[in-house]
């Protein structure tokens, strides 16, 4: 085991803190990691879909694992396949008209419902079924059928997982021939692959019924045309029902694996392909290394990407940090991301992490690059530990000049994270320049400096006089086009007084507002109600920061003399939201500015930093790397009294 003791360098503003316990991983990821792309366990990331479509360059190898053992499924050919759990579902429409089916599927999509087109045979004709959803109970499916009917005007029929086994056969080809024979007589039938002690067996099952009574009724109908079969309820719990879906056109179909809720499927790219990559259509067409595991978990179709830890980090590091940054900064991110993945343990039960920023962003291979792979490879296996346990690896965009102490974020100290200086000004130094100006009617706002021309004159107040040089120039409430609203539009030639100069909103410096006293009262009282704290009466006339932590972050506030309630110091960011966007950090001041037009006091939040501030500032890591520090020294600066072990 390689162990590097990590002390403190470049640290300022350190304070004495008490030891606190961290989360102990249930099962740490090591050589491999399991990443949930679709999952819903009721906590963390929650996102599911009714079906998943996988594509590869040269086909897929699929394994069925369940009560019947582990079975390699036959190669069905094709570079794409769809997967769905065998549960209740809706057939919204069944028609011989492809165009009609396509119109209804599009209608479903426009109304945010799934609507795939399943292809089947009936009485010698091809029929197209618009299929939607998967539901674990008949009642849930019935309720959804009513909702879909009201939204689309269609008349969905609930279908289910109850079928009768007509018989078993020596080959898939023989099962498909009997499937066609049943369909010729108008009886829905499917070839089925059964797992039996690691061996694949083949059967034909009839029906998609909502009960065994309904399946038995279908069997009585089938026995008239095919009296030689037994028609028994299927005994296997390890199975895949093979259906076919249209894939872009009526002439192109793909296999749909409808699998037992008691089993799971594992898909991997065929080794004959030049790249062992799998594309997940429903995950923004992203491509992934490793293999995909599909199962029913917590009542939902769940998709987990299992792959080697370093392959995962190839995708994570470039998603969390710009790949053109210095390699030592990227190495810092690699160690942080590996540590964060291990610290999560078995968070989702079926997976260690999700692919979202709830843990850390992972977009498959989309953000990989040679330098990112180099950073991961050169730090292989390295994890940050405190007293023998992985630390909670925390990082964020920008510390605003100084990192946070644990008391400033969660309200309790973290022994290995104490406030230190951080060189974070890079984004501000490269930001566009804006002018705060006053128009001729007394309105104060911001315009970008390249949209005005300085006249060289000054007004009676000694302020520079400039003219608008572009037609229909927006006067905004702050120095950005993203977060600040348009106050008015100024014509070319309009004269303005330049009050001050400010950098455009960036990862280091920012403003929010200005807000009226009434707007602030609504925000604050909504938070007070949430925490069952006393409301403030009337509009806000005073808003004060009453306490700050070691880095200058806000830890207590009051409005009109009343303390503002918050679950933790960092929660102050969420109280003063603009739309659904919280403040970028709690490292802010509140300024009262006077509106020269209306003489109404307005409240402006002016801050630095982007993120909670605990742990490594990514912009700070960049600056240190550019100044010649290696990744170990960078980590030594932001983390105290830790080891890095391999």
């Amino acid at each position: 085991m390689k162990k590097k003791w990590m002390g403190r360098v470049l640290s300022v503003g350190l304070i004495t803190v008490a030891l606190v316990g961290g989360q102990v991983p249930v099962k740490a990821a090591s050589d491999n990691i399991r990443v949930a792309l679709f999952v819903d366990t009721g906590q963390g990331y929650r996102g599911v879909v009714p079906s998943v479509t996988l594509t590869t360059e040269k086909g897929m190898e699929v394994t069925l694992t369940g009560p019947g053992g582990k079975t390699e499924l036959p190669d069905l050919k094709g570079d794409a396949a769809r997967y769905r759990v065998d549960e209740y579902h809706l057939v919204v429409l069944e028609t011989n008209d492809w165009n009609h089916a396509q119109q209804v599927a599009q209608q479903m999509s426009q109304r945010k419902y799934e609507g795939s087109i399943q292809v089947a045979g009936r009485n010698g004709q091809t029929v197209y079924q618009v299929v939607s959803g998967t539901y674990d109970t008949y009642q849930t499916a019935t309720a959804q059928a009513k909702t879909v009917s009201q939204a689309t005007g269609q008349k969905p029929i609930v279908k289910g997982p109850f079928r009768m086994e007509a018989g078993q056969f020596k080959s898939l080809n023989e099962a498909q021939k009997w499937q066609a024979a049943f369909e010729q007589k108008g009886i829905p039938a499917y070839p089925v692959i059964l797992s039996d002690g690691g061996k694949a067996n083949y059967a034909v099952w009839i029906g998609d019924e909502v009960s065994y009574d309904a399946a038995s009724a279908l069997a009585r109908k089938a026995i008239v045309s095919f009296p030689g079969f037994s028609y028994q309820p299927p005994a296997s719990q390890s199975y895949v029902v093979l259906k076919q879906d249209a894939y872009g056109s009526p002439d192109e179909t793909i296999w749909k694996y409808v699998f037992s809720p008691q089993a799971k499927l594992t898909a991997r790219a065929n080794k004959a392909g030049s790249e062992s990559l799998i594309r997940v259509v429903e995950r923004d067409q992203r491509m992934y290394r490793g293999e995909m595991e599909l199962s029913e978990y917590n009542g939902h179709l769940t998709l987990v990407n299992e792959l080697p830890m370093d392959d995962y980090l190839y995708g994570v590091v470039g998603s969390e940090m710009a790949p053109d940054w210095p390699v030592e900064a990227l190495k810092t991110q690699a160690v942080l991301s590996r540590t964060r993945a291990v610290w999560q343990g078995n968070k989702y039960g079926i997976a260690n992490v999700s692919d979202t920023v709830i843990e850390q962003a992972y977009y498959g291979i989309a953000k990989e690059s040679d330098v990112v792979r180099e950073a991961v490879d050169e730090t292989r296996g390295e994890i940050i530990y405190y007293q023998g346990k992985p630390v909670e690896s925390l990082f964020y965009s920008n510390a605003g000049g100084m990192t946070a102490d644990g008391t400033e974020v969660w309200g309790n100290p973290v022994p290995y994270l104490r406030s230190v200086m951080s060189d974070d000004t890079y984004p501000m130094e490269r930001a566009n320049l804006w002018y705060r100006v006053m128009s001729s009617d007394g309105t104060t706002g911001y315009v970008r400096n390249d949209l005005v021309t300085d006249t060289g004159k000054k007004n009676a107040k000694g302020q520079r006089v400039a003219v608008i040089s572009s037609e229909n120039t927006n006067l905004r409430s702050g120095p950005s086009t993203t977060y600040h609203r348009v106050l008015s539009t100024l014509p070319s030639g309009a004269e303005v007084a330049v009050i001050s100069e400010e950098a455009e909103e960036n990862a280091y410096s920012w403003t929010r507002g200005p807000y009226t006293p009434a707007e602030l009262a609504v925000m604050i009282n909504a938070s007070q109600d949430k925490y069952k704290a006393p409301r403030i009466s009337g509009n806000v006339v005073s808003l004060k920061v009453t306490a700050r932590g070691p880095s200058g972050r806000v830890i207590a506030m009051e409005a009109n003399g009343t303390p503002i309630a918050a679950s933790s110091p960092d929660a102050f960011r969420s109280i003063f939201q603009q739309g659904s966007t919280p403040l970028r950090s709690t490292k802010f001041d509140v300024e009262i500015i006077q509106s020269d037009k209306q003489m109404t006091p307005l409240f402006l939040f002016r801050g630095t930093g982007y993120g909670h501030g605990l742990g490594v500032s990514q912009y700070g890591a960049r600056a240190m790397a550019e100044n010649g520090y290696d990744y170990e020294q960078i980590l030594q600066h932001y983390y105290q009294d830790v080891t890095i072990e391999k």
Side-chain angles (χ1 to χ4, degrees):
M1 177 172 69
K2 177 184 176 185
K3 179 179 290 188
K4 300 173 184 174
W5 286 100
M6 306 181 68
R8 299 191 295 263
V9 300
L10 305 176
S11 299
V12 298
L14 296 174
I15 62 173
T16 303
V17 293
L19 177 65
V20 295
Q23 175 178 328
V24 179
V26 177
K27 181 181 179 183
S30 53
D31 294 337
N32 276 15
I33 186 167
R34 292 171 57 83
V35 187
L37 308 186
F38 293 113
V39 71
D40 186 354
T41 63
Q43 56 105 21
Y45 165 64
R46 302 179 67 183
V48 291
V49 291
S51 63
V52 168
T53 310
L54 305 180
T55 70
T56 63
E57 185 183 76
K58 296 290 183 182
M60 272 171 276
E61 299 172 359
V62 182
T63 302
L64 170 65
T65 304
K70 184 175 181 179
T71 303
E72 297 292 330
L73 300 188
D75 185 359
L76 300 181
K77 308 301 181 184
D79 300 333
R82 188 162 289 152
Y83 301 84
R84 182 185 288 265
V85 180
D86 191 21
E87 296 182 314
Y88 295 95
H89 58 278
L90 306 182
V91 174
V92 180
L93 174 75
E94 181 172 300
T95 177
N96 296 327
D97 185 344
W98 163 257
N99 290 328
H100 187 195
Q102 198 172 34
Q103 289 169 1
V104 171
Q106 290 172 349
Q107 180 190 34
M108 295 284 290
S109 177
Q110 290 167 356
R111 286 162 175 76
K112 308 302 181 185
Y113 297 109
E114 184 214 18
S116 58
I117 301 177
Q118 186 170 288
V119 182
R122 296 290 185 273
N123 299 310
Q125 294 185 319
T126 298
V127 296
Y128 304 103
Q129 300 170 326
V130 179
V131 175
S132 181
T134 56
Y135 312 97
D136 55 2
T137 68
Y138 175 74
Q139 290 75 15
T140 304
T142 301
Q144 186 65 11
K146 293 178 181 177
T147 302
V148 171
S149 178
Q150 292 171 354
T152 65
Q154 304 298 324
K155 297 180 179 179
I157 298 171
V158 177
K159 294 292 184 179
F162 294 91
R163 303 180 184 87
M164 287 292 176
E165 182 174 287
Q168 294 193 13
F169 305 92
K170 294 180 180 180
S171 68
L172 179 60
N173 185 55
E174 186 179 0
Q176 287 177 286
K177 288 180 179 178
W178 278 106
Q179 172 203 11
F182 278 99
E183 288 183 333
Q184 186 72 28
K185 296 295 184 178
I187 299 168
Y190 308 100
V192 181
I193 304 174
L194 310 171
S195 176
D196 183 12
K199 177 186 175 185
N201 292 332
Y202 305 97
V204 169
W205 292 359
I206 62 172
D208 284 304
E209 309 309 308
V210 298
S211 67
Y212 273 124
D213 287 344
S216 296
L218 181 63
R220 289 193 292 273
K221 176 182 175 182
I223 203 169
V224 175
S225 299
F226 302 98
F229 293 107
S230 59
Y231 302 106
Q232 297 294 321
S236 176
Q237 291 185 320
S238 296
Y239 65 83
V240 173
V241 177
L242 295 176
K243 300 185 179 183
Q244 289 191 313
D245 274 3
Y247 196 55
S249 74
D251 300 320
E252 184 177 0
T253 61
I254 60 173
W255 287 107
K256 180 163 65 180
Y257 292 70
V258 181
F259 63 94
S260 165
Q262 284 74 46
K264 66 179 181 181
L265 295 177
T266 304
R268 65 194 69 81
N270 195 312
K271 294 175 183 176
S274 59
E275 287 282 354
S276 298
L277 301 174
I278 299 181
R279 186 187 303 276
V280 182
V281 173
E282 290 78 9
R283 206 65 174 144
D284 298 322
Q285 299 276 351
R286 295 173 190 158
M287 297 187 73
Y288 298 87
R289 298 175 182 271
E291 60 186 30
M292 295 293 171
E293 180 186 284
L294 303 107
S295 64
E296 193 274 356
Y297 188 74
N298 200 37
H300 304 282
L301 173 62
T302 299
L303 179 66
V304 173
N305 178 205
E306 182 168 347
L307 72 168
M309 174 66 83
D310 284 354
D311 285 4
Y312 164 70
L313 294 174
Y314 293 158
V316 168
V317 172
S319 300
E320 291 287 357
M321 181 176 280
D324 61 350
W325 282 17
V327 69
E328 293 302 319
L330 293 169
K331 289 179 186 178
T332 301
Q333 185 64 54
V335 176
L336 289 167
S337 291
R338 184 181 294 108
T339 303
R340 186 158 182 80
V342 170
W343 180 86
Q344 296 291 335
N346 193 25
K347 180 174 180 178
Y348 292 93
I350 197 170
N352 304 111
V353 296
S354 74
D355 64 343
T356 71
V357 294
I358 291 175
E359 287 82 41
Q360 48 193 354
Y362 168 59
Y363 305 123
I365 67 167
K367 300 293 185 178
E368 288 189 16
S369 67
D370 289 342
V371 69
V372 165
R373 286 187 284 269
E374 175 189 346
V376 172
D377 291 346
E378 291 189 7
T379 61
R380 178 166 288 126
E382 293 185 341
I383 295 169
I384 308 168
Y385 286 86
Y386 178 76
Q387 294 190 351
K389 297 177 182 178
V391 302
E392 181 175 5
S393 172
L394 297 166
F395 51 88
Y396 51 93
S397 176
N398 193 296
M402 183 171 279
T403 68
D405 183 85
T407 57
E408 297 176 286
V409 179
W410 295 325
N412 59 267
V414 180
Y416 48 82
L417 291 173
R418 301 192 285 272
S419 186
V420 298
M421 295 294 291
S422 184
D423 183 357
D424 294 307
T425 59
Y426 176 89
M428 184 181 69
E429 293 165 357
R430 286 152 182 80
N432 292 325
L433 188 65
W434 286 61
Y435 291 153
R436 183 169 180 244
V437 302
M438 182 187 295
S439 65
S440 58
D441 67 355
T443 302
T444 301
Y446 293 80
V447 293
R448 220 171 55 216
N449 77 319
D450 60 336
L451 301 179
V452 300
T453 301
D454 199 321
T455 65
K457 301 176 183 178
K458 292 187 177 182
N459 63 15
K461 296 181 179 180
Q463 298 166 331
R464 290 154 50 200
V465 176
V467 294
I468 300 299
S469 58
S470 177
E471 280 293 344
N472 301 318
T473 294
N474 289 327
L475 182 69
R476 292 185 175 271
S477 61
S480 79
T481 59
T482 306
Y483 296 101
H484 296 98
R485 63 184 182 274
V486 176
L487 302 176
S488 64
T489 302
L490 302 176
S492 178
E495 199 169 89
V496 295
V498 179
I499 301 170
S500 61
E501 297 179 356
E502 289 188 26
E504 187 171 62
E505 176 116 354
N506 58 82
Y508 178 78
S509 62
W510 54 269
T511 62
R512 286 293 181 274
Y515 298 115
T516 67
E519 288 174 329
L520 280 180
V522 171
M523 295 179 190
I524 293 168
N525 280 330
S527 178
Q528 298 295 86
D529 292 345
K530 178 180 178 181
Y531 296 111
K532 295 180 172 56
R535 292 169 65 91
I536 61 169
S537 59
N539 292 333
V540 173
V541 294
S542 72
L543 181 63
K544 297 179 180 179
V545 175
T546 55
R548 295 183 184 273
S551 74
R553 284 170 168 78
V554 173
I555 59 174
M557 296 184 73
E558 63 179 34
N560 296 355
T562 299
I564 299 175
S567 59
S568 66
D570 194 58
F572 282 110
R573 290 201 288 159
S574 299
I575 294 173
F576 305 102
Q577 293 196 42
Q578 186 164 308
S580 59
T581 305
L583 300 181
R584 287 194 161 185
S585 78
T586 54
K587 204 169 186 296
F588 63 78
D589 294 307
V590 180
E591 299 177 5
I592 298 178
I593 60 176
Q594 199 74 34
S595 168
D596 290 88
K597 188 175 181 181
Q598 298 179 347
M599 300 305 292
T600 302
L602 301 174
F603 295 83
L604 179 74
F605 291 78
R606 186 182 300 279
T608 58
Y610 195 172
H612 49 68
L614 268 181
V616 173
S617 163
Q618 291 169 316
Y619 273 104
R622 175 193 173 118
M624 290 187 70
E626 288 180 332
N627 286 322
Y629 294 94
D630 65 26
Y631 74 97
E632 295 177 30
Q633 293 171 313
I634 295 170
L635 289 169
Q636 285 172 348
H637 177 59
Y638 287 102
Y639 284 82
Q640 293 85 45
D641 306 324
V642 297
T643 60
I644 184 167
E645 300 181 16
K646 193 169 186 176

